[in-house]
Amino acid sequence: MPHFGTRSLERLETVDPDLVAIFTELIRLVDVSILCGSRSEADQNAAVASGNSRTPWPQSRHNCPEPGQLSRAVDWAPYPIDWNAADRFLLCGGLLWGIAEGLEVEVRLGSDWSRNGRANGNGFEDLGHVELWEP
């Protein structure tokens, strides 16, 4: 049975409980690694500089500028990680979406920024990203 490693668990400690609940259910179905929860200002600036994010500090849902604040976003990947396996990311993203729906937690996936159920035409695809939806 899949389970989170130590680093994934440490990263989940920086994340909103609703997202933790989703990933707690997801790991029962498929092995995933948690790559990032909360991002520091330096980490967010590096993500923007590298092209992995378009959102400057402190506007990303990964950012927690207030003490005690938890990340409202998670970067994850199916394990073992293969950045070229888009099909695995999309399958896990679908499972994640279904789990969120079942838990009545509204999320937005980096594969479907517009939340229209389509994993194409999004302009900037971040297949291993999920965030709490706040319209």
Side-chain angles (χ1 to χ4, degrees), residues 12 15 19 23 34 36-37 62 71-76 128-130:
L12 279 176
V15 173
L19 289 168
F23 279 96
I34 305 302
C36 178
H62 284 285
S71 175
R72 301 188 58 78
V74 173
D75 287 342
W76 57 273
H129 175 89
V130 62

Side-chain angles (χ1 to χ4, degrees), residues 7-87:
R7 281 185 284 179
S8 288
L9 289 171
E10 288 171 356
R11 292 168 181 154
L12 279 176
E13 289 177 4
T14 70
V15 173
D16 184 279
D18 284 339
L19 289 168
V20 173
I22 292 167
F23 279 96
T24 299
E25 293 300 316
L26 183 63
I27 196 70
R28 294 178 187 189
L29 302 173
V30 63
D31 204 354
V32 296
S33 293
I34 305 302
L35 307 176
C36 178
S38 178
R39 275 193 201 137
S40 67
E41 183 172 1
D43 289 342
Q44 185 64 36
N45 291 340
V48 171
S50 70
N52 290 326
S53 177
R54 291 187 174 177
T55 311
W57 171 271
Q59 298 168 354
S60 169
R61 294 202 176 131
H62 284 285
N63 304 153
C64 304
E66 301 297 324
Q69 188 177 7
L70 294 171
S71 175
R72 301 188 58 78
V74 173
D75 287 342
W76 57 273
Y79 186 84
I81 299 171
D82 177 354
W83 297 113
N84 296 312
D87 57 338

